[in-house]
Amino acid sequence: MFYRDERLALFIDGSNLYAAAKALAFDIDYKLLRSEFMQRGKLLRAFYYTALLENDDYSPIRPLVDWLHYNGFTMVTKPAKEFVDSQGRRKVKGNMDIELTVDAMEIAPHVDHIVLFSGDGDFRPLVAALQRKGVRVSVVSTIRSQPPMIADDLRRQADNFIELDELKDVVGRPPREPRDIPSGMPMELAEDE
């Protein structure tokens, strides 16, 4: 539930939201997403967190990052670390949990409601800490994918769970056809354990 006079902040775990939307077979239209939450309350900030490969000539996420930066989102990025897993696959590690947590705790005295776009169970203690400060927390993810993309304990801790699939008609667009991915481009992000 949202109140039109409450001060809102959005915290988007980029890789987690991307994976949840992909599991539901749609792409997020971030302009629509921002507009939707501007209507639900007084949107103070919309943070977007992602790790970037610094050395690649072209990163598939760079156009999105640039667009978000110029269209009202506060971008929080850091260099991703590349590694080769035990099967010899090139992977990228770029966990943004600490950055998101610090920013959420810093903004807590200035907002009434935080909307967290992530299903990562590591955020349960953050949600509990924000609630102790009097901030309501809604979590956006999905239980309709196989497997569900939200940790059960995070869902239980949140004041409100918003099913991403139910936002599809409001903030979604059909997925784009896959483009040719340059050789050597990482196919997946690995989270810190």
Side-chain angles (χ1 to χ4, degrees):
M1 173 173 277
F2 289 82
Y3 303 102
R4 296 189 63 68
D5 62 339
E6 70 182 352
R7 299 164 301 165
L8 287 178
L10 309 182
F11 284 82
I12 301 169
D13 175 349
S15 63
N16 195 286
L17 179 59
Y18 172 81
K22 186 176 177 184
L24 296 170
F26 77 98
D27 288 334
I28 303 289
D29 183 322
Y30 287 94
K31 187 175 188 175
L32 293 176
L33 184 142
R34 190 167 176 272
S35 295
E36 173 64 21
F37 284 90
M38 285 175 79
Q39 293 172 24
R40 292 186 182 204
K42 294 177 182 172
L43 183 61
L44 299 185
R45 286 278 181 284
F47 293 93
Y48 186 97
Y49 297 82
T50 191
L52 296 172
L53 280 175
E54 296 296 319
N55 300 337
D56 275 355
D57 292 335
Y58 174 76
S59 169
I61 197 169
R62 176 54 74 184
L64 173 63
V65 168
D66 290 343
W67 187 92
L68 290 170
H69 186 74
Y70 285 107
N71 286 277
F73 286 81
T74 301
M75 298 306 300
V76 183
T77 62
K78 74 177 180 185
K81 294 179 174 73
E82 274 188 85
F83 69 99
V84 177
D85 72 7
S86 59
Q87 280 89 34
R89 292 179 299 211
R90 180 176 166 224
K91 291 204 173 185
V92 177
K93 184 181 276 190
N95 192 315
M96 300 291 293
D97 292 5
I98 297 297
E99 291 81 356
L100 190 154
T101 298
V102 169
D103 290 344
M105 292 303 290
E106 285 181 347
I107 205 170
H110 309 287
V111 298
D112 304 304
H113 192 164
I114 284 178
V115 183
L116 174 64
F117 291 80
S118 182
D120 187 340
D122 290 346
F123 288 123
R124 194 208 58 75
L126 168 63
V127 171
L130 290 167
Q131 290 167 329
R132 286 191 301 272
K133 290 183 172 293
V135 177
R136 290 187 327 110
V137 182
S138 292
V139 174
V140 180
S141 189
T142 186
I143 57 172
R144 294 186 182 160
S145 59
Q146 288 301 324
M149 298 293 291
I150 186 166
D152 191 55
D153 58 343
L154 177 64
R155 185 175 172 212
R156 290 172 190 265
Q157 184 69 52
D159 295 296
N160 186 30
F161 170 68
I162 300 171
E163 171 57 56
L164 182 61
D165 196 37
E166 292 175 8
L167 289 176
K168 187 176 187 173
D169 293 337
V170 180
V171 303
R173 63 172 182 244
R176 294 185 187 147
E177 291 300 314
R179 287 185 269 174
D180 290 335
I181 297 174
S183 62
M185 186 63 57
M187 294 301 292
E188 53 195 13
L189 286 175
E191 289 288 326
D192 288 328
E193 292 300 318

